Amino acid sequence: YEKHKTRKKPKPQTTQAARTKQFYLGRSAELAIMSELTLRGYVVATPGVDTGVDIFAIHPENGNLTKIQVKAVTKQGISKVGIRYNISIKITQLQDEDPELFYALMFRDSSKWVTLLIPQVDLIRLRKKHFIGTPNYQGRLNVHFWITEHENRVKVITFGKVPGGKRVSKKGQELLLSQYVSNFSPWPSWTGYE
């Protein structure tokens, strides 16, 4: 009898076509956010180097700056809960609160976007309170979202583990995040634009 060592499965190689498709998906999501912010009268820009921020939005009158990290995904499956999407976020981006940072989580179904705009501070608090997401060995947090067909309801079902490794519950905990769907309230149209 010889003990078998458990090996991690090697990460599947991503084809050039898949990388190109993901690049176009991500860029189109960024442009969708930039378009809406521009329409609201904000000056938008993209950094020359990716440091975890995809878009800068600057209020043209007072100079207030917000930073936006865009994550775009296509559906991963369908179940009785809804259409499932998986998003991966660097855990280091969820350690220190940055009130200027927002996440634009962009879910693409065949012909439309569902956009979840959530402050990084809220995401950190949800992570701490409800243990959303599962950390992986690459230092990323994998979060599963379900979107129902009616009214673009967005749910997160948490199966995360509390410190010490014990699961929150066997069935998971459902959090409704619909208040963040298309929530552009941090970027109201400014009076000089109307």
Side-chain angles (χ1 to χ4, degrees), residues 29 75 95 100 149 154 167 178 184:
K75 66 181 175 183
Q95 290 175 343
E100 296 174 347
E149 289 295 325
V154 178
R167 283 192 179 274
S178 299
F184 282 92

Side-chain angles (χ1 to χ4, degrees), residues 126-136 140-144 146 156-175:
L126 286 168
R127 170 77 181 133
K128 287 179 180 176
K129 184 176 180 180
H130 300 287
F131 307 101
I132 66 167
T134 305
N136 67 21
R140 301 185 74 82
L141 185 69
N142 297 323
V143 185
H144 305 293
W146 280 266
V156 174
I157 299 179
T158 65
F159 292 96
K161 295 181 180 181
V162 298
K166 187 175 180 182
R167 283 192 179 274
V168 174
S169 75
K170 291 180 182 178
K171 288 178 69 177
Q173 179 181 13
E174 184 177 301
L175 299 173

